[in-house]
Amino acid sequence: MQRWFQHSDCGGRDYLIGNPHTFRGRIAAYCPHEDVGFTVSKQDIDVLSPSAQAWLEGYLAGAEPEPQEVFGPDIHDVGVEDERWVRWQQLVRDFRASGTWLLQDWWDPAPLPAGVDLPALLAVPAVPWVVRGAEVWTWQQEGQERGWVRAQPQPALSRGFLVGSACERRDDHDEEVVAFSERQWMCRDCGHLIESR
């Protein structure tokens, strides 16, 4: 049996090959008509053979992220009733349906420098925030717990911007940026922290 499929950009059958090692869920494919390799996502495929269907389901199941890649290692310390487990299951279902994974992996943002006067740096009342996996974390400067904390409740995001922010409206964080170091910048308009890793 062959793993053939058809999509709207080609009139004939192309073939699923394997992992192109580019983005999670992308698939290496081959077009015999043009004698060229290319990459494809599940959502690009219109028709596929039963063999290709079975292979694709297994491929996407094997490529789905581990829960800690989305919510950090502490996810295993909370019970299954925690809403993060429900969100992870939905994210995995969406990934298997589309073959597209848009989230970045969990990471550890550096602390902000001590003595930073955040209210003076921000154009609007806001706190610095980052996206870690599938969550928004905010900088807590007051009290004993100085550092990054999980935002409660989680704010709504659209295309990586806080819903309702000036940055979402103009689709850009680059209006005015505050640099903390060579590796760490913050959008003055919404508080989004950008860190080179």
Side-chain angles (χ1 to χ4, degrees):
M1 293 218 143
Q2 293 185 331
R3 298 190 308 240
W4 62 263
F5 71 98
Q6 292 178 305
H7 61 102
S8 57
D9 292 341
C10 182
R13 291 181 175 179
D14 294 327
Y15 298 89
L16 301 176
I17 303 296
N19 190 343
H21 302 285
T22 56
F23 299 100
R24 189 186 301 267
R26 292 292 279 176
I27 307 152
Y30 173 71
C31 175
H33 317 294
E34 301 291 330
D35 190 26
V36 65
F38 62 100
T39 60
V40 67
S41 289
K42 181 180 179 182
Q43 63 189 9
D44 302 323
I45 297 172
D46 298 324
V47 179
L48 66 169
S49 70
S51 177
Q53 176 70 41
W55 182 89
L56 182 57
E57 288 174 10
Y59 177 76
L60 292 176
E64 72 186 31
E66 296 291 328
Q68 64 271 13
E69 292 177 62
V70 180
F71 295 106
D74 294 345
I75 188 65
H76 296 291
D77 297 334
V78 300
V80 293
E81 69 282 351
D82 190 286
E83 57 90 17
R84 287 172 285 182
W85 283 108
V86 174
R87 288 183 59 213
W88 176 72
Q89 291 168 345
Q90 185 59 54
L91 289 165
V92 167
R93 279 192 296 273
D94 293 345
F95 171 67
R96 287 193 186 185
S98 69
T100 301
W101 184 259
L102 300 177
L103 297 175
Q104 295 184 4
D105 288 345
W106 183 264
W107 62 291
D108 291 315
L112 296 184
V116 171
D117 184 8
L118 289 172
L121 295 174
L122 290 164
V124 296
V127 294
W129 60 279
V130 295
V131 177
R132 301 175 80 186
E135 294 185 308
V136 172
W137 283 58
T138 57
W139 180 253
Q140 180 174 307
Q141 188 153 318
E142 305 297 327
Q144 295 178 330
E145 296 293 324
R146 184 176 190 271
W148 293 104
V149 295
R150 185 172 178 256
Q152 294 289 357
Q154 283 285 297
L157 294 177
S158 173
R159 304 175 327 278
F161 301 101
L162 291 175
V163 170
S165 68
C167 298
E168 181 200 19
R169 287 189 293 277
R170 74 170 171 261
D171 201 25
D172 188 15
H173 283 300
D174 295 332
E175 189 69 15
E176 196 168 342
V177 173
V178 176
F180 293 122
S181 69
E182 293 180 2
R183 295 184 50 229
Q184 207 173 34
W185 310 268
M186 182 184 68
C187 173
R188 188 171 182 272
D189 284 342
C190 75
H192 180 240
L193 186 86
I194 302 138
E195 183 175 324
S196 62
R197 298 179 255 161

